[in-house]
Amino acid sequence: MIRPSSLAAAARPLLTSAARATPATTAAAAATAARLSTTRMLRDQHDASGTTHFGFRTVREEDKESLVRGVFSSVADNYDLMNDAMSGGVHRCWKSAFIERLAPAPDTRLLDVAGGTGDIALRFLDYVREQNGGALGAAHVTVFDINPEMLRVGAQRFSKLGLENGGPHVSFVEGNAEELAGIEDNSMDAYTIAFGIRNCTHIDRVIRQAYRVLKPGGRFMVLEFGKVNNPLLSTLYDAYSFRVIPHLGQILANDRDSYQYLVESIRKFPTQQQFVDMMKHEGFQVVGQGYEDLTFGVATIWSGWKL
Amino acid sequence: MHAATTASMVARRLAAARLMSTMPEGADINEIRQQLLRTALQLVPEYSFTDKTITEAAKLHEYPSTLRGLAPNGARDVIEVLFEDGIEHVRQAHAELLEQSGEKKPGMTKVVTHLSRARLEYMIPYIRQWPDAVQLLAHPTNVPFALHHLHKLVDEMWHLAGDKSFDTNYYSKRALLAGVYTSTELFMTKDQSPGFEQTWEFLNARFRDSAKVGKAASDVKTTLEWGASNLKGLLMSRGIRL
């Protein structure tokens, strides 16, 4: 029998907390929509009436944050069990692959946004230690999350490993990914966000902030659910998503709606290419196509450079 | 030793500073990638063919070491630049040879010998670290890459020498030259003689061997046997056990 608490320490939830939706006036939303109307994706994300999507539902922008919060509080205790149950544990491989692609060095300063319980941060420090003969050098990670509960869990987890919050290697900061308040311009070597950006209200603002805080030569990396392109697999994946996952949510977590939101929000997220276009729009440059599909595109790693 | 190290460090910094001035702000990502890999190649004498070479190159350009991600294949991407620049070097050597020869066009064997030597001379700065590269290229996932570039090199040499064959000789010629070139390159990594004299002797001896084979070209059996043994040697030099 696996105790939920040990699981909580072992895995970071796929559902991470969202950026705080700033109360947008109609005018501001219209300006945003007008500026970004160049790509279809951006029209999809917001329209002039100040609404956005919450799964397949259309909601007012200012409501999304509390709705996402609702999802998180209702599934919180069963996150990790559900993550493993739904992905067959594969999400761990995705996260490891993510850090391997980043290949951090002992001098890397990382900002991990929506990093909550520190799953990516821990893999980051493990990677540096492994590559650097057991020493952490000057490696540092800032775990940034909007949800104080998640940060508390992360800080406790790190503390048990002898890594104190505010110490030489890790700090936990609460804040909104669309603002990154308190993070200096040009101060980070790398920016990661894993299974978090999907839940943000304004993806473009999140990317713009990432660009602001990265040093020239810094790397922006996103791990998120992608789109499965193989038609046969995509049929199977859809069947699994819409027929199996909500039931799993019902049985394991007694919460069907939250998992319904999860699968719907994955479908509403931009395609691989649309997200690359959004990154380029904010100034990032990419090598090749700019993304790499994992497990046939169920998850995707996007990567861009500020140069 | 210490003085030599300092001298090499100074040379390295100067070279890097020169490169840095050519790396404009807001430049295209592919240009920066090429610059990064070229700087990394210059650092090979110090850090060999390792990922650290690329990280150090990034630092010299005052970029974060995560810029290493621009070379997802690690040291193999540095080797690729070495191969590509090597082809360029061979082309230049050919142009110079034609200039020196004037009216009289050099024969095919002479051109191929000259170009092989030029390509080996191009390896001198990296030759002590080359065994590390060979080890890397011997990894199963890298073998197609290694053979592709070897073929590109020998094909270029024959092409420059004016070879227009498109019969079975096409393959035997390329296999022969690939065998001669790689075995000499491997010999060179261990050669301590001044000016790599022994390497040039070794190279000439290999070409004499293949000339004999060329004379017996009508004897299909001999050619095939020689080609097979040469191919075997070639694969073994790339770390493939037979």
Side-chain angles (χ1 to χ4, degrees):
Chain A
M1 184 60 198
I2 309 165
R3 287 180 303 116
S5 62
S6 69
L7 273 166
R12 176 168 176 274
L14 294 178
L15 287 160
T16 44
S17 56
R20 180 176 289 130
T22 45
T25 64
T26 311
T32 309
R35 190 175 55 77
L36 299 175
S37 66
T38 43
T39 65
R40 191 160 56 83
M41 166 53 222
L42 296 168
R43 277 205 310 276
D44 249 26
Q45 289 284 309
H46 310 282
D47 63 25
S49 60
T51 61
T52 185
H53 53 76
F54 177 75
F56 288 166
R57 288 158 58 197
T58 300
V59 299
R60 287 188 304 150
E61 283 195 350
E62 53 267 45
D63 291 342
K64 179 164 176 172
E65 184 209 340
S66 62
L67 285 165
V68 170
R69 234 184 232 287
V71 167
F72 285 102
S73 14
S74 63
V75 298
D77 294 335
N78 297 294
Y79 269 172
D80 306 303
L81 176 63
M82 285 302 295
N83 284 345
D84 280 328
M86 288 187 304
S87 72
V90 177
H91 71 102
R92 293 160 193 271
C93 305
W94 292 336
K95 288 168 183 166
S96 297
F98 188 53
I99 287 299
E100 272 165 39
R101 295 303 180 280
L102 176 63
D107 59 355
T108 301
R109 292 188 72 82
L110 171 70
L111 175 66
D112 182 38
V113 176
T117 53
D119 216 26
I120 295 293
L122 215 52
R123 280 180 167 79
F124 161 75
L125 293 177
D126 280 349
Y127 184 94
V128 172
R129 201 183 274 128
E130 218 168 89
Q131 300 289 317
N132 195 33
L136 281 174
H140 184 272
V141 54
T142 305
V143 181
F144 195 94
D145 204 295
I146 199 165
N147 190 326
E149 264 312 283
M150 303 265 277
L151 287 167
R152 192 182 50 77
V153 173
Q156 276 175 357
R157 187 178 170 192
F158 271 70
S159 178
K160 276 182 199 154
L161 298 167
L163 295 158
E164 292 306 324
N165 182 7
H169 301 298
V170 68
S171 54
F172 290 83
V173 178
E174 186 187 335
N176 186 339
E178 292 179 11
E179 288 156 16
L180 293 185
I183 310 289
E184 306 255 327
D185 295 3
N186 307 313
S187 63
M188 294 290 169
D189 298 324
Y191 175 116
T192 54
I193 183 165
F195 300 115
I197 201 166
R198 193 182 70 250
N199 297 312
C200 296
T201 310
H202 303 96
I203 295 175
D204 54 319
R205 288 186 199 166
V206 175
I207 302 173
R208 203 172 310 141
Q209 286 300 317
Y211 193 86
R212 176 180 71 79
V213 301
L214 280 170
K215 291 178 193 165
R219 189 173 190 183
F220 173 60
M221 282 184 78
V222 177
L223 176 61
E224 190 51 89
F225 293 104
K227 301 277 185 285
V228 177
N229 289 317
N230 180 309
L232 178 65
L233 290 173
S234 131
T235 311
L236 288 171
Y237 179 54
D238 280 348
Y240 178 71
S241 299
F242 288 102
R243 292 172 192 280
V244 180
I245 287 182
H247 286 293
L248 275 178
Q250 178 69 49
I251 295 162
L252 294 173
N254 194 25
D255 183 352
R256 188 190 181 92
D257 291 347
S258 296
Y259 288 92
Q260 185 72 30
Y261 163 74
L262 171 73
V263 294
E264 288 179 4
S265 67
I266 293 169
R267 294 314 187 284
K268 292 298 269 186
F269 192 70
T271 65
Q272 280 85 332
Q273 187 54 51
Q274 283 169 340
F275 193 79
V276 169
D277 292 342
M278 292 176 85
M279 280 168 33
K280 286 184 178 168
H281 191 265
E282 300 302 336
F284 284 109
Q285 295 196 48
V286 302
V287 175
Q289 59 179 4
Y291 65 87
E292 177 192 358
D293 284 341
L294 306 173
T295 322
F296 312 106
V298 174
T300 301
I301 293 173
W302 285 268
S303 170
W305 270 271
K306 173 178 176 178
L307 290 166
Chain B
M1 180 63 204
H2 181 257
T5 314
T6 315
S8 94
M9 270 173 65
V10 170
R12 174 164 78 79
R13 305 263 165 208
L14 283 175
R18 220 174 31 247
L19 282 170
M20 211 123 71
S21 64
T22 61
M23 206 183 261
E25 216 169 288
D28 178 70
I29 194 165
N30 294 313
E31 285 168 30
I32 290 186
R33 181 174 186 276
Q34 284 299 314
Q35 282 292 15
L36 177 74
L37 292 173
R38 293 234 150 74
T39 307
L41 188 55
Q42 293 198 350
L43 300 187
V44 160
E46 218 163 324
Y47 303 105
S48 190
F49 292 93
T50 59
D51 291 345
K52 190 169 167 56
T53 314
I54 308 169
T55 320
E56 292 297 323
K59 282 188 204 161
L60 275 178
H61 286 292
E62 289 176 351
Y63 277 127
S65 44
T66 37
L67 196 72
R68 180 189 128 181
L70 285 182
N73 299 311
R76 200 184 99 173
D77 289 338
V78 179
I79 298 174
E80 187 160 29
V81 167
L82 179 143
F83 284 154
E84 278 163 7
D85 289 359
I87 296 269
E88 227 17 76
H89 186 82
V90 165
R91 284 188 191 136
Q92 271 175 26
H94 181 248
E96 281 162 23
L97 179 71
L98 285 189
E99 220 170 273
Q100 285 164 13
S101 321
E103 289 294 298
K104 202 171 145 257
K105 247 183 112 186
M108 218 183 266
T109 318
K110 184 168 179 212
V111 174
V112 169
T113 316
H114 180 87
L115 295 184
S116 298
R117 178 162 173 168
R119 181 59 174 73
L120 289 164
E121 281 168 348
Y122 163 79
M123 290 297 290
I124 289 174
Y126 326 108
I127 200 67
R128 298 291 169 236
Q129 287 74 33
W130 190 241
D132 288 345
V134 171
Q135 198 183 359
L136 200 137
L137 293 173
H139 191 272
T141 56
N142 290 334
V143 169
F145 164 86
L147 292 178
H148 167 76
H149 280 281
L150 181 62
H151 176 262
K152 247 175 99 172
L153 175 64
V154 295
D155 195 50
E156 184 69 26
M157 287 191 201
W158 278 117
H159 175 75
L160 290 171
D163 175 56
K164 301 218 165 35
S165 65
F166 50 89
D167 49 10
T168 49
N169 271 338
Y170 175 94
Y171 296 103
S172 57
K173 273 180 179 159
R174 275 147 189 81
L176 291 183
L177 182 55
V180 169
Y181 181 81
T182 28
S183 55
T184 313
E185 194 177 65
L186 217 62
F187 180 89
M188 192 178 173
T189 61
K190 298 270 176 268
D191 184 6
Q192 301 288 347
S193 64
F196 293 96
E197 266 170 43
Q198 290 181 4
T199 299
W200 315 134
E201 270 172 39
F202 185 92
L203 178 68
N204 291 333
R206 294 286 78 71
F207 272 118
R208 274 199 301 279
D209 287 354
S210 32
K212 272 182 218 150
V213 178
K215 283 203 186 82
S218 54
D219 186 347
V220 176
K221 190 166 164 281
T222 319
T223 313
L224 283 181
E225 270 174 7
W226 199 89
S229 70
N230 226 327
L231 188 65
K232 189 178 160 196
L234 157 69
L235 291 174
M236 283 169 77
S237 78
R238 295 277 148 178
I240 300 163
R241 313 240 181 293
L242 294 173

